[in-house]
């Protein structure tokens, strides 16, 4: 799967149908009809779900409702991890694709070759307990993600704030890296050096005017020390008691006096703050990316296990006991979704005539509480169990 599938619509269909005599026969029938020949409608793969503990009918009905909510929540957490990974990697598609692997595989490959993780989710536990384990796992990852994102974002924001002050207009930027000690009169308690921002077009006006703006200006004390596209930064020295009047007169002439006190310790601290934040950001970046990579794989696996449990529960509710159904993934070929949907309808119409209504809807006479409806909503009811797996995890939903 290319990285484009993260942003473009890629949908796997997860379906189940009862075994004719055996589950294998159902899989072979679907593969023969849709996945073979010169123009297959879809890539067809077996989706293996173990025999989970069924429990009572009431328990299954209750589980069906809860699993619908958990499926939505698990997908939401998975998307959050993906989207924050993109933010941290700054939309680097190559790195993003490398980090969004599931057990070292592309997402679509993992689903098409799905194997139940018995170590994480032992099937000796009942469906409710397995669901609770996944729910707690998702909740913990979401909480950890929020904490890690807040910490890293605060660090990044502080660094960006300081870096912004190092660039930009002379009217607003930090001036510490533009000046030198020798630009200032520092040995007198009566004379002070000011930094004045002058529009480039008024530089000649400044040179003619500055000594006359007020009394007690040190003659020929102005020096041009920096220029950008719109302004020049000049120094001027004057007696301390004339500073307020000079600022007022300068403002009238469109010359802006910047508040700046030359202090070696403060300037050094400012430079050290940026260096420290840059170092801290680099130190946090690697572990954060590794955490996101690991926990994307964890959330995605958990999400697909929820899909598996849902299909199992809905299949038992729909087809009854003993458990005899085959789950299958279908990846529709380009522009073949409608034909594939119609072919599936014809193949499985005998399971439930209500599913044969044009467009995949159900008739008004259909019992609204029919088991299996909750998989996709009433408007998407089909005679077979159907579940969509949307893999465009960077799109907003």
């Amino acid at each position: 799967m290319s990285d484009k599938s993260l942003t473009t619509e890629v949908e796997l269909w997860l379906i189940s149908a009862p075994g004719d005599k055996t589950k294998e026969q159902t899989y072979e029938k679907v593969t023969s009809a849709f996945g073979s020949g010169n123009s297959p409608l879809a890539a067809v793969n077996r989706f293996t779900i173990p025999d989970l503990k069924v429990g009572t009918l009431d328990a299954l009905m209750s589980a069906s409702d809860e699993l619908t909510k958990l499926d939505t929540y698990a997908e939401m957490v998975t998307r959050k991890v993906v989207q924050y990974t993109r933010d941290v990697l700054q939309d680097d598609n190559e790195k993003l694709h490398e980090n969004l692997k599931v057990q070292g595989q592309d997402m679509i490959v993992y689903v098409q070759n799905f194997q139940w993780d018995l170590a994480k989710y032992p099937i000796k536990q009942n469906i409710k307990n397995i669901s609770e384990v996944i729910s707690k796992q998702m909740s913990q990852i979401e909480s950890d993600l929020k904490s890690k994102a807040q910490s890293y974002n605060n660090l990044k924001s502080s660094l960006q704030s300081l870096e912004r002050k190092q660039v930009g207009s002379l009217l607003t930027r930090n001036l510490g890296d533009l000046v030198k000690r020798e630009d200032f009169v520092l040995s007198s308690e009566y004379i002070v050096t000011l930094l004045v921002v002058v529009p480039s077009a008024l530089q000649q006006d400044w040179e003619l005017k500055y000594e006359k703006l007020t009394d007690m200006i040190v003659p020929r004390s102005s020096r041009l020390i920096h220029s950008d596209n719109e302004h020049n930064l000049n120094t001027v020295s004057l007696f301390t008691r004339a500073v307020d009047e000079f600022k007022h007169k300068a403002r009238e002439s469109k010359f802006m006096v910047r508040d700046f006190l030359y202090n070696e310790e403060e300037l050094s601290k400012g430079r050290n703050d940026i260096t420290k934040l840059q170092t801290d950001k680099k130190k946090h970046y690697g572990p954060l990316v590794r955490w996101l990579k690991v926990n994307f794989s964890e959330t995605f696996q958990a999400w697909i296990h929820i899909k598996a449990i849902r299909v199992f529960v809905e299949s038992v509710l729909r087809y009854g006991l003993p458990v005899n159904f085959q789950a299958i993934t279908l990846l529709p070929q380009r522009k073949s979704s409608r034909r594939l949907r119609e072919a599936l309808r014809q193949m499985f119409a005998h399971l439930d005539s209500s599913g044969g209504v044009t467009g995949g809807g159900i008739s008004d006479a259909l019992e609204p509480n029919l088991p299996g409806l909750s998989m996709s909503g009433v408007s998407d009811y089909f005679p077979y169990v159907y579940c969509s797996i949307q893999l465009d995890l960077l799109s907003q939903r």
Side-chain angles (χ1 to χ4, degrees), residues 181-188 191-193 218 221 237-238:
R181 182 181 179 86
E182 51 264 33
D183 295 325
F184 297 84
V185 175
L186 300 174
S187 58
S188 172
I191 296 177
V192 65
T193 301
V218 177
S221 63
S237 297
L238 64 159

Side-chain angles (χ1 to χ4, degrees), residues 246-286:
F246 179 83
K247 286 182 177 180
H248 176 71
K249 295 291 186 180
R251 190 161 50 246
E252 289 180 348
S253 297
K254 299 182 180 178
F255 309 143
M256 180 183 173
V257 179
R258 290 288 307 271
D259 289 328
F260 183 87
L261 178 65
Y262 188 86
N263 184 305
E264 288 278 9
E265 290 183 4
E266 288 297 319
L267 293 177
S268 178
K269 181 179 180 298
R271 288 189 287 269
N272 289 340
D273 285 346
I274 291 180
T275 302
K276 182 179 183 302
L277 284 171
Q278 289 171 335
T279 302
D280 285 349
K281 184 186 174 189
K282 288 179 182 178
K283 188 166 66 175
H284 281 76
Y285 177 83

Side-chain angles (χ1 to χ4, degrees), residues 134-187:
I134 294 177
S135 179
K136 288 177 182 177
Q137 179 188 11
M138 286 291 185
S139 180
Q140 185 62 55
I141 290 174
E142 183 184 31
S143 176
D144 289 348
L145 174 65
K146 183 178 180 181
S147 174
K148 289 177 182 295
Q150 185 176 24
S151 176
Y152 186 73
N153 288 348
N154 287 343
L155 191 62
K156 187 168 68 170
S157 177
S158 297
L159 178 59
Q160 288 173 340
S161 178
L162 286 179
E163 287 177 336
R164 277 195 297 270
K165 292 178 181 178
Q166 302 303 110
V167 295
S169 170
L170 286 169
L171 294 170
T172 56
R173 66 166 291 174
N174 189 321
L175 302 178
D177 59 335
L178 302 180
V179 298
K180 301 174 183 176
R181 182 181 179 86
E182 51 264 33
D183 295 325
F184 297 84
V185 175
L186 300 174
S187 58

Side-chain angles (χ1 to χ4, degrees), residues 190-192 194 209-219 221 236-247 249-250:
Y190 301 108
I191 296 177
V192 65
L194 301 181
K209 277 186 177 181
Y210 80 90
E211 291 183 8
K212 305 169 187 175
L213 289 176
T214 185
D215 295 333
M216 294 183 282
I217 305 293
V218 177
S221 63
V236 63
S237 297
L238 64 159
F239 280 81
T240 304
R241 63 184 179 176
V243 167
D244 289 342
E245 184 182 358
F246 179 83
K247 286 182 177 180
K249 295 291 186 180

Side-chain angles (χ1 to χ4, degrees), residues 39-53:
S39 301
L41 292 177
V44 181
N45 290 87
R46 188 184 285 101
F47 190 89
T48 305
I49 305 174
D51 286 345
L52 303 175
K53 283 193 172 182

